[in-house]
Amino acid sequence: MRDSNRGFDGKRVLADLNALRAIGAYKTGVHKPTFSEPHIRSLDWLARRLPDAGLTATIDGIGNVVGKSAKAGPKLLAGSHLESQNHAGWLDGPLGVIYALEAARVINSDPDVTGAVEVAAWCDEEGHFGHFLGSRSFAGAVTEAEIDAASDRSSDRPLRQALRDAGLAGRARLQAEPRRHIGYLEAHIEQGETLESSGLKIGVVTSIVGIWQYRITFTGVQNHAGTTRMAVRRDAGLALARFCVAIDDSFPALCGPRTVWTTGRITLDPGAPSIIPGRAEMLFQIRDDDPDVIERLEAHLRNMAADVTAQARCSVDVERIRTGVPAIMNAAFQDAIEAAGAVLAGGKSIRMPSGAGHDAQVLATIMPAAMLFVPSIGGISHHWSENTDDADILTGAAVFVDTCRRLLAG
Amino acid sequence: MRDSNRGFDGKRVLADLNALRAIGAYKTGVHKPTFSEPHIRSLDWLARRLPDAGLTATIDGIGNVVGKSAKAGPKLLAGSHLESQNHAGWLDGPLGVIYALEAARVINSDPDVTGAVEVAAWCDEEGHFGHFLGSRSFAGAVTEAEIDAASDRSSDRPLRQALRDAGLAGRARLQAEPRRHIGYLEAHIEQGETLESSGLKIGVVTSIVGIWQYRITFTGVQNHAGTTRMAVRRDAGLALARFCVAIDDSFPALCGPRTVWTTGRITLDPGAPSIIPGRAEMLFQIRDDDPDVIERLEAHLRNMAADVTAQARCSVDVERIRTGVPAIMNAAFQDAIEAAGAVLAGGKSIRMPSGAGHDAQVLATIMPAAMLFVPSIGGISHHWSENTDDADILTGAAVFVDTCRRLLAG
């Protein structure tokens, strides 16, 4: 290992990641929804380790863990998140937090480096209660009214209740201090197959796609599944199924080369086997890094809905509930990652967009931001079998620490 | 009113129906799921009224309320159910119970009638925990193992727990005594538009259709909704939507004149907006009074599933979870209803099959059974706005009481 990575300890990185994996373990992954008991224990675990990196830890009023340094010189903010999707992988989030912790441990105690790495674990990146709640709160974009209205998408527990249960009610929410940080760096597993299938080790993220999300509601007439003849039914569930198929049949002719769309949840109301659903709802998502493509697809979606409504059997309402703006990663930061990769990953890096959303896209609205990816085995993500080779985890960590050094050196 | 309906009290019938509607009221209907607090209160309400009809009341170990008479002579069993679907109508169930109560009040105290009407409210006809649990228990067709395994489809509360919460755990389950009853009579709202649209007042039910129910499970690969390209996805939810549409497109060419089919519930797993569902499930139901038609449709369903599985993107598993045998109503009982209708409903009756399932189909397996329908306004059913004109309720009640008299007279 070259001199610039003096103090880097790969065993410590793997031990920390496995310690977090043991909190809320599920098969080879974890089940650590936001403000679940294992999630809160993970926040405490991190807060107790930050002093090892010369950082003063705070868990704030939205569940962010932030470690601040008193060292003189420039400050680089680095981190990711600690909660998981339900029954999901062990690295999605913790990898970036532990890379940041390791960088802080190595750099903050090094008298030859001017400046420090500060560590953050942003709460609820996975969107159990909202989307990017923690990082948006830090960026000043979350109101008290939004917190009042939010609840857990799986259990309906109100966010206020969850904050009380976690002992965080009434705490202040930390906000970014103007000009404190030269920028933000985040590492993450790729969650796709690009790196693995090309034998590459580092993805230098160029942009993060925007996510547009819709609640599409179908209204028909609820009735008895035995006594209502097929000819007179207004079955909202069937209208929904036809709509899903129509989307999938028509989007390919209109989308861009990397557009993806997903129906992640369907609810029929009342959802009983002997009742024709009078109401049905789907959560639908489109991702792209080109707003023009999204605009075209959304217009098509609304036309399709109007057509179905005009046929008068069921009405369709398309409501946009999330508007994603693609985020461009800082060019100088991208160069620093690539330079570190040239030395510590044999140059096996590639510039690529991120199809997944990350806190870095929120931080990018208030400071220079960048991301690096490490390979995902089989591209599996948001599933407990998600994994990355230990060797790739360590290569990524070394590149991350070196990138931090380069960024602080200006 | 003719002499044979001496003692019939229409005001009392409407007052009783409205008393039950006030327990668990929801808008103009009720929300009274099986073993909810208002359902249990309704069982107690009935048990307290049965002595007015000369009956000894028992609430048994599955939640059936049965009133027995010590009067000499033949016994006719009559009833329906007291729980409702979620947020559903006030008459679906209670109408038949109150008709039976009124018949028992009128007839059991009449020294000129030999024999008595005995009253039953069968538990869980609406299938919150199973299907026809109460009447099947009475017919000897429910095992303790089935009770062990059952749970509320909305809340997952185990049936054993619900029975404990209701104070019914450990009570014996009543079973039909051989040769005690000459038969079973049940009244119900039509839940369709046949009577209303023809200006008729009484439906004489000829048969009750069979219900075949299926759990159809789609297995694909769960993955990240942002990083997984459309071309490599194995989206179980999309496969389900395409299957629903394919059913609706192909069944009309294969079905009988009165076949109906319904997808009442869809579940995507894990059901999060940013995850491609790896598993999806639908509850699917077919109803017909011709088993040959069902057999043809089920074979088609299984062929469709095999075709999808052969295309190797998602696999489909079709599991039949309920097998309905159509029930034929007793011919002499049908004649008695028609004769009563000729006198008390101006002959405005029609013979018709029932597209809905009823406890009468279970009782039909152990004794002669029959049903009469009254009109439903707009055919609306399984919805809180379900209703029937008071005048039609009273006509139906008078015909019901007179039918009981005729049946006891042999």
Side-chain angles (χ1 to χ4, degrees):
Chain A
M1 190 161 295
R2 67 190 266 278
D3 188 52
S4 83
N5 255 0
R6 183 179 66 200
F8 171 76
D9 184 345
K11 273 188 195 157
R12 180 168 64 180
V13 168
L14 292 175
D16 284 349
L17 285 170
N18 280 294
L20 282 172
R21 182 191 218 165
I23 305 174
Y26 175 78
K27 300 190 180 177
T28 62
V30 294
H31 179 61
K32 221 182 282 203
T34 304
F35 295 129
S36 63
E37 186 275 332
H39 177 229
I40 295 166
R41 233 186 323 141
S42 300
L43 302 183
D44 289 337
W45 181 95
L46 177 64
R48 283 199 306 277
R49 257 134 212 95
L50 289 176
D52 302 344
L55 298 171
T56 305
T58 302
I59 305 181
D60 83 347
I62 196 75
N64 286 334
V65 184
V66 179
K68 291 174 103 172
S69 166
K71 198 176 172 191
K75 309 283 185 299
L76 176 69
L77 189 60
S80 189
H81 61 93
L82 290 175
E83 81 283 342
S84 75
Q85 292 281 354
N86 293 334
H87 308 108
W90 68 300
L91 295 170
D92 185 343
L95 182 101
V97 173
I98 297 304
Y99 278 16
L101 174 63
E102 180 62 13
R105 282 188 296 224
V106 171
I107 288 170
N108 297 356
S109 61
D110 187 340
D112 294 347
V113 179
T114 307
V117 173
E118 298 194 326
V119 175
W122 311 113
C123 195
D124 204 33
E125 191 267 355
E126 295 292 5
H128 292 273
F129 288 87
H131 60 282
F132 303 122
L133 265 184
S135 53
R136 286 196 302 115
S137 171
F138 186 76
V142 173
T143 63
E144 292 298 310
E146 179 176 349
I147 296 175
D148 289 341
S151 61
D152 188 326
R153 65 173 189 235
S154 301
S155 72
D156 286 336
R157 178 166 64 143
L159 177 53
R160 289 287 183 205
Q161 183 63 45
L163 287 166
R164 272 196 298 277
D165 295 346
L168 300 176
R171 290 198 195 181
R173 291 191 278 130
L174 292 175
Q175 289 211 8
E177 298 167 33
R179 288 173 302 281
R180 178 178 181 90
H181 297 110
I182 59 167
Y184 174 72
L185 185 65
E186 178 170 357
H188 208 277
I189 54 167
E190 183 199 340
Q191 307 177 273
E193 299 178 272
T194 305
L195 295 177
E196 184 184 57
S197 61
S198 323
L200 298 168
K201 298 303 174 188
I202 300 292
V204 182
V205 177
T206 52
S207 66
I208 299 174
V209 300
I211 301 179
W212 281 256
Q213 198 158 301
Y214 303 86
R215 180 181 296 116
I216 308 181
T217 308
F218 301 76
T219 307
V221 175
Q222 178 178 325
N223 217 327
H224 191 289
T227 58
T228 315
R229 286 174 297 122
M230 298 309 292
V232 302
R233 293 182 176 209
R234 295 177 167 199
D235 183 331
L238 183 61
L240 181 149
R242 288 200 176 276
F243 204 80
C244 281
V245 171
I247 287 173
D248 214 59
D249 287 344
S250 59
F251 266 38
L254 298 165
C255 69
R258 279 187 300 271
T259 319
V260 290
W261 58 92
T262 309
T263 300
R265 196 185 320 173
I266 293 174
T267 312
L268 304 190
D269 184 42
S274 292
I275 307 183
I276 301 162
R279 201 174 163 283
E281 186 183 291
M282 59 189 263
L283 285 185
F284 181 68
Q285 197 181 77
I286 310 176
R287 301 190 190 209
D288 205 289
D289 56 6
D290 182 349
D292 290 346
V293 168
I294 302 281
E295 209 164 288
R296 192 161 70 224
L297 293 173
E298 180 176 316
H300 174 64
L301 206 61
R302 294 188 187 280
N303 283 341
M304 282 172 57
D307 284 352
V308 174
T309 302
Q311 289 157 29
R313 182 142 279 193
C314 289
S315 67
V316 188
D317 181 55
V318 176
E319 180 194 1
R320 196 204 294 157
I321 54 176
R322 179 171 169 184
T323 304
V325 179
I328 305 303
M329 299 291 96
N330 179 272
F333 278 42
Q334 290 183 49
D335 291 345
I337 299 168
E338 195 168 64
V343 179
L344 291 163
K348 291 179 178 170
S349 71
I350 185 175
R351 302 221 176 194
M352 60 188 293
S354 170
H358 295 286
D359 290 307
Q361 74 195 62
V362 177
L363 276 301
T365 64
I366 54 170
M367 61 180 79
M371 290 193 75
L372 72 82
F373 283 165
V374 300
S376 294
I377 296 174
I380 293 169
S381 173
H382 285 184
H383 189 269
W384 55 265
S385 62
E386 165 226 287
N387 203 7
T388 297
D389 276 339
D390 281 0
D392 289 343
I393 291 176
L394 293 181
T395 300
V399 170
F400 190 89
V401 175
D402 191 51
T403 302
C404 290
R405 252 186 231 279
R406 288 169 189 270
L407 292 172
L408 286 172
Chain B
M1 188 161 299
R2 67 191 264 279
D3 188 50
S4 83
N5 255 359
R6 180 179 68 199
F8 171 76
D9 184 344
K11 272 189 194 155
R12 179 167 66 178
V13 168
L14 292 175
D16 284 349
L17 285 171
N18 279 294
L20 282 172
R21 181 191 219 165
I23 305 175
Y26 175 78
K27 300 190 180 178
T28 62
V30 294
H31 180 60
K32 221 181 282 203
T34 304
F35 295 130
S36 63
E37 186 274 333
H39 177 229
I40 295 165
R41 232 183 327 140
S42 301
L43 302 183
D44 289 337
W45 181 94
L46 177 64
R48 283 199 307 276
R49 257 135 212 93
L50 290 176
D52 301 345
L55 298 171
T56 306
T58 303
I59 305 181
D60 83 348
I62 196 76
N64 286 334
V65 184
V66 179
K68 289 173 103 173
S69 166
K71 197 175 174 193
K75 309 282 185 300
L76 177 69
L77 189 59
S80 189
H81 61 93
L82 290 175
E83 80 284 342
S84 75
Q85 292 280 355
N86 294 334
H87 308 108
W90 68 301
L91 295 170
D92 185 344
L95 181 101
V97 173
I98 297 305
Y99 278 16
L101 174 63
E102 180 62 13
R105 282 188 296 224
V106 171
I107 288 170
N108 298 357
S109 62
D110 187 340
D112 294 345
V113 180
T114 306
V117 173
E118 298 194 325
V119 176
W122 310 111
C123 194
D124 203 33
E125 191 265 356
E126 295 292 4
H128 291 272
F129 288 87
H131 60 283
F132 303 123
L133 266 183
S135 52
R136 286 196 302 114
S137 171
F138 186 76
V142 173
T143 63
E144 293 296 312
E146 179 177 349
I147 296 175
D148 290 341
S151 61
D152 187 327
R153 65 171 190 240
S154 300
S155 73
D156 286 335
R157 180 167 64 145
L159 177 53
R160 288 287 183 206
Q161 183 63 45
L163 288 165
R164 272 197 297 278
D165 295 347
L168 300 176
R171 290 198 195 181
R173 290 191 278 129
L174 293 175
Q175 288 209 8
E177 298 167 32
R179 289 173 302 279
R180 179 179 181 88
H181 296 111
I182 59 166
Y184 174 72
L185 186 65
E186 178 170 356
H188 208 277
I189 54 166
E190 182 199 341
Q191 308 176 273
E193 300 175 89
T194 305
L195 295 176
E196 184 184 59
S197 62
S198 322
L200 298 168
K201 298 303 174 190
I202 300 291
V204 182
V205 177
T206 53
S207 66
I208 299 174
V209 300
I211 301 179
W212 281 256
Q213 198 157 301
Y214 304 86
R215 181 182 295 115
I216 308 180
T217 308
F218 301 77
T219 307
V221 175
Q222 177 177 326
N223 217 326
H224 191 289
T227 59
T228 314
R229 286 174 296 123
M230 298 309 291
V232 301
R233 293 183 175 209
R234 295 177 167 200
D235 183 330
L238 183 60
L240 182 149
R242 288 199 176 276
F243 203 81
C244 281
V245 171
I247 288 173
D248 214 59
D249 288 344
S250 59
F251 266 39
L254 298 165
C255 69
R258 278 187 302 270
T259 320
V260 289
W261 57 92
T262 309
T263 300
R265 195 186 320 173
I266 293 175
T267 312
L268 306 189
D269 182 41
S274 290
I275 308 184
I276 300 163
R279 202 173 161 283
E281 186 183 293
M282 58 189 263
L283 286 185
F284 181 68
Q285 197 180 79
I286 310 176
R287 302 191 189 210
D288 205 289
D289 56 6
D290 182 349
D292 291 345
V293 169
I294 302 281
E295 210 165 288
R296 192 162 69 225
L297 293 173
E298 180 176 316
H300 175 64
L301 206 60
R302 293 189 187 279
N303 283 341
M304 282 172 56
D307 284 352
V308 174
T309 302
Q311 289 158 27
R313 183 143 280 193
C314 288
S315 67
V316 189
D317 181 54
V318 176
E319 180 193 1
R320 195 204 295 158
I321 54 177
R322 179 171 170 184
T323 305
V325 179
I328 306 302
M329 298 291 95
N330 180 272
F333 278 43
Q334 291 182 48
D335 292 344
I337 298 167
E338 196 170 65
V343 180
L344 291 162
K348 292 182 178 168
S349 72
I350 185 174
R351 303 221 175 194
M352 60 188 294
S354 171
H358 294 287
D359 289 307
Q361 73 195 64
V362 177
L363 276 301
T365 64
I366 55 170
M367 62 180 79
M371 289 194 76
L372 73 82
F373 284 166
V374 301
S376 294
I377 296 174
I380 293 169
S381 174
H382 285 184
H383 189 271
W384 56 264
S385 62
E386 165 227 287
N387 203 7
T388 296
D389 276 340
D390 280 0
D392 290 342
I393 291 175
L394 293 181
T395 299
V399 170
F400 190 89
V401 174
D402 191 50
T403 303
C404 291
R405 253 186 231 278
R406 289 168 188 269
L407 291 172
L408 286 171

